[in-house]
Amino acid sequence: MNGALCAAKQQVRLAMKQKLAALPRESILEQSQIIQRKLLEFKPYVDANRISVFLSMPSAEVQTDEIVRHALSSGKHVFVPYLHKSPLPANPDIPPRVMDMVRLRDVQDYESLKRDKWGIPSIDSATINQRQRILGGGGSDEHQSDKGTLDLILMPGVAFDVAPESSEIRRLGHGRGFYDLFLERYAEKLEGLDLKRPSVLLYGLGLQEQFLSAENEQQVPIGPLDQPLHGLILGNGKTIVPPQLD
């Protein structure tokens, strides 16, 4: 990533961090409930059998607890992010830790997760070899890679907007590149398995304060590795999709 792009992204992240720090927790919970209710009648979610859902920090983003519980209770296969040491060849562009998606067994399994230092419920590494994984870690545990695919990924973000010319939905992450690299590796996996099926749907979940409107002076800066979303669900109940998918 070039220096100017990196600086532009950091500027938006800092501004959004300050905005969200002043947001009452009651507002975050209310918006999260609106999004969860919206999902119950949202066709991509209703139709999806295998979904990935991010597990939330205690503040400053959409809370996904009820979404995870509903998905598990309704019989969906629910996969959540898991960070582990990179099995990929040494490369300065690849972080030392990468992300995979691993399956939760049921609601009780979800409730048993311990929180990490950021307060996010996290998979115990001791249980990884007994869980389905989307990519697998490579090397000695490569056989744990699940040959299934994902229908839908519900993604977090720091900020979102709509590109004025292309109408693409843009997402700004936290800057670690976990989702970008996961999606790249996932696409390679599908190609390797020669699966003739649509790519996974990518939908962002955001608080209304995280959406940068056309009137806002700031925009979401993107680079060549940043993938546009298929849609965005906001805490005011609004669903945004590109015109060609509407």
Side-chain angles (χ1 to χ4, degrees):
M1 186 186 304
N2 65 57
L5 178 60
C6 183
K9 288 188 172 186
Q10 285 301 101
Q11 184 178 13
V12 177
R13 290 189 184 105
L14 179 59
M16 189 58 64
K17 180 179 180 180
Q18 294 172 342
K19 179 189 289 188
L20 295 178
L23 191 63
R25 177 164 175 79
E26 291 76 14
S27 176
I28 295 176
L29 294 177
E30 181 180 356
Q31 292 190 55
S32 299
Q33 291 170 358
I34 290 172
I35 289 173
Q36 194 265 344
R37 291 196 297 268
K38 189 77 174 180
L39 278 173
L40 297 186
E41 56 187 27
F42 188 54
K43 184 172 172 51
Y45 173 79
V46 173
D47 291 348
N49 181 50
R50 299 168 65 84
I51 71 171
S52 164
V53 187
F54 68 95
L55 300 182
S56 307
M57 298 182 292
S59 62
E61 69 178 358
V62 173
Q63 301 297 292
T64 59
D65 179 74
E66 291 304 318
I67 296 172
V68 173
R69 291 176 184 275
H70 177 270
L72 288 168
S73 299
S74 61
K76 297 183 187 295
H77 293 194
V78 179
F79 292 78
V80 297
Y82 171 71
L83 302 179
H84 63 96
K85 183 178 178 181
S86 174
L88 304 173
N91 185 321
D93 294 328
I94 296 178
R97 300 178 76 207
V98 296
M99 185 173 74
D100 199 352
M101 299 293 176
V102 302
R103 186 179 172 188
L104 294 173
R105 302 185 188 96
D106 49 34
V107 174
Q108 291 71 31
D109 183 29
Y110 170 60
E111 291 175 343
S112 73
L113 300 184
K114 307 298 183 184
R115 293 186 179 270
D116 64 15
K117 63 181 180 180
W118 294 285
I120 303 172
S122 299
I123 299 291
D124 185 347
S125 60
T127 70
I128 287 299
N129 287 339
Q130 289 78 48
R131 294 181 184 274
Q132 293 182 30
R133 299 173 65 176
I134 293 298
L135 297 178
S140 62
D141 67 346
E142 190 171 12
H143 66 282
Q144 295 296 337
S145 177
D146 179 28
K147 292 188 180 301
T149 56
L150 291 169
D151 302 318
L152 172 68
I153 299 180
L154 299 177
M155 300 176 67
V158 174
F160 305 89
D161 76 353
V162 175
E165 295 182 358
S166 65
S167 295
E168 288 184 340
I169 299 172
R170 302 183 294 198
R171 167 187 171 270
L172 176 66
H174 288 276
R176 301 182 183 93
F178 291 135
Y179 274 93
D180 294 331
L181 183 56
F182 171 81
L183 292 172
E184 180 182 332
R185 296 174 67 202
Y186 179 76
E188 292 173 353
K189 173 190 170 178
L190 293 186
E191 184 178 353
L193 294 176
D194 195 26
L195 294 178
K196 308 298 184 183
R197 58 170 295 160
S199 60
V200 60
L201 294 176
L202 309 177
Y203 276 82
L205 303 181
L207 303 169
Q208 58 183 334
E209 289 81 5
Q210 292 178 289
F211 182 69
L212 305 180
S213 66
E215 294 77 20
N216 195 302
E217 292 183 359
Q218 285 187 312
Q219 296 184 350
V220 170
I222 60 169
L225 298 180
D226 295 314
Q227 293 197 35
L229 301 179
H230 293 96
L232 173 64
I233 303 176
L234 294 172
N236 57 6
K238 185 176 182 179
T239 300
I240 302 173
V241 296
Q244 64 270 26
L245 297 179
D246 197 351

